[in-house]
Amino acid sequence: MEKIAATALVSQSSSEQERKSVGIIRLLTSNRLSMIGLLLIIVWIALALLAPLLSPYSPIEPDVANKLTPPSVSHWFGTDNFGRDIFTRIAYGAKYTIWSGVAAVAISFCVGTILGAIAGYYGGVLGSIIMRVMDMFLAFPALVLAMAIAASIGPGLTSAMIAVSVVGIPEYVRLMYGQTMLLREKEFVEAGRAIGLKNSVILFRHILPNALAPLIVRATLGIGFAILISSSLNFLGLGVKPPIAEWGAMIAEGRQYIVSGEWWIVSFPGLAIATSILGFNLIGDGLRDVLDPRLRSSSGNKKND
Amino acid sequence: MSVLLEVNNLKKHYPVRKGFFGKTGAVVKAVDGVSLSIKRGETLAIVGESGCGKSTMGRSILRLIEPTDGEILFEQDDIRKLNPDQMRRFRTKMQIVFQDPYASLNPRWTIREILSEPFRLYEKLSASELKDRVSELMQVVGLSPYQADRFPHEFSGGQRQRVGIARALALKPQFVVCDEPVSALDVSIRAQVLNLMEDLQEQYSLTYMFISHDLSVVKFISDRVGVMYLGRLVEMAPTDDLFQNPLHPYTKALISALPLPDTEVKRERIILSGDVPNPQHPPAGCAFHTRCPSARPECKSVTPEWKEVSPGRSVACLLY
């Protein structure tokens, strides 16, 4: 049989080859807003870790002589109705808030990803059952569902965390389900099957790593949401027990004093919740811009496209 | 030459879901009773329009898509009777090269990881042996081993397709389904890849099923050609016979569409009108009668049988 003359040699240099691989971290650091978010989170983590060093006061012991003092040099954020320093309490409370947000998201992320991958890859009856159960979860407003779960387990920090993580699961299941459905039709997955890979290997080594980017973005944004829900549960008394300094609980304790003019008891924990959520959301937005360029927003740095 | 693969009455039907409760009524007969055999060392090309079921057939033969019915005899063993474990081990004997070299390589893996995977699965090799095997494999397909630690996006389409071919050959298969392996490539690269595939066929005594819609590629690479229309084979013939003397009206139309290198020669063009019928409601009788220039009244009701008209040539048409 005749040979067709090969016109070019094997080593074609493509523009792709010369394309510089820009590190995700470099892209992220060039996004000013996400850097602000990172800074906020670092500040909160530092406060949580260094609370005992930063403040001479106790977050729990009452000091009746100094109750309800407005912000001053000795009490930056004022004191509450038991005379406890608000700044100290906020700094100590940061660990509960950040911990419950991160841990809850970690749980929903893991459970959701596994369930979504199974539903998406195997499909069938099992997949339908998983997805319909998730739809049931989504039918409830998140906070109402979280309250119901927390109340049924019994109040406490752990039960609040479990409630928040359960509420978060469907989001990740649906995302992973869609990603898996998309990827399982890809030819490299088919090639894996043609070689004789087991389903579990295909799922964990081929599909999962390619599906993670949007899930990670979602998780970062989800931490903010988890903080909001867990603070709400604590505000409603379904979380930590009273003397413990937690932002949501602090607002609950101080809310009756707003009318009498002691605004600082509620405002500073409220600001703390707002800034920590903002921090995670800004990081999440930045991450999304970097990991998923199709959704790159105007706030992202277009130079590095 | 002995028969390597024999396919009898292969069918793949897809149920069409209708309504809220997923009641299955209609079926799409993507592959509807294909029988063929492939001899050891030959290249059988399967041609047809988009959607005629040629890719589905290729994947069904490898059981990447589970066939609805039929027999697939590989060296006399019916591979449809193998359980999943046996099937996995059997897969070393038959491989596939995909159409789209951009989708067929995991974008997060380096070439080394992609090519190591088959070895990791079936052979216990030390790290240095594995490295040698990957380098060897890359050289076989014309890539430089120093490129092993790059990612697929750093390669051109032709180079990626070489990686795809290397992966298929890693396990030393006997039979390779090539699902339009060059149709996504630039014309200039096509020739290289086709030449490579021919060289490899000789070197490793491979048997190819070459799925394509490009008749000029088919003419170059194949020994025999099967023409598919709406899930069925309509004609099968040795390549030269098919191109010189096509029998089925559909084949004639396809051949007449081939550009001729000599502009002096005038050839009668047969232009088919209309589209391929909806496979959900294929026409009764001969599926081609709606577009056939030489259709007769009986074509509307009688389904033509698949018959051998001369040694090595089969056709499904009432004209013969």
Side-chain angles (χ1 to χ4, degrees), chain A residues 196 199, chain B residues 63 81-91:
Chain A
N199 281 330
Chain B
R63 278 185 74 191
K81 294 204 177 88
L82 298 177
N83 68 32
D85 251 356
Q86 293 169 319
M87 188 64 216
R88 254 204 308 278
R89 262 171 275 134
F90 195 81
R91 290 196 181 284

Side-chain angles (χ1 to χ4, degrees), chain B residues 45 47 212-227 235-247 251-252 254-260 267 313:
Chain B
V47 296
S212 182
H213 59 249
D214 186 340
L215 285 171
S216 45
V217 168
V218 164
K219 194 174 181 181
F220 168 71
I221 197 144
S222 65
D223 301 315
R224 281 194 303 145
V225 183
V227 182
E235 182 166 2
M236 172 93 74
T239 308
D240 292 341
D241 295 352
L242 188 99
F243 279 90
Q244 265 144 41
N245 178 26
L247 294 179
T251 318
K252 283 180 186 164
L254 288 183
I255 304 276
S256 81
L258 256 186
L260 286 178
R267 184 173 56 184
R313 293 203 72 167

Side-chain angles (χ1 to χ4, degrees), chain B residues 264-301:
Chain B
E264 297 294 306
V265 182
K266 283 275 179 278
R267 184 173 56 184
E268 195 194 345
R269 277 281 274 119
I270 304 167
I271 295 169
L272 294 181
S273 55
D275 284 325
V276 182
N278 180 356
Q280 217 174 311
H281 308 285
C286 173
F288 187 57
H289 82 254
T290 49
R291 301 167 77 193
C292 184
S294 30
R296 298 190 219 160
E298 65 261 36
C299 293
K300 288 181 183 162
S301 50

Side-chain angles (χ1 to χ4, degrees), chain B residues 123-147:
Chain B
E123 294 168 50
K124 287 236 178 300
L125 297 174
S126 69
S128 69
E129 281 174 316
L130 194 63
K131 205 177 163 198
D132 290 345
R133 294 290 284 276
V134 170
S135 305
E136 188 193 321
L137 204 53
M138 289 183 74
Q139 273 163 342
V140 163
V141 296
L143 293 169
S144 315
Y146 75 86
Q147 297 169 314

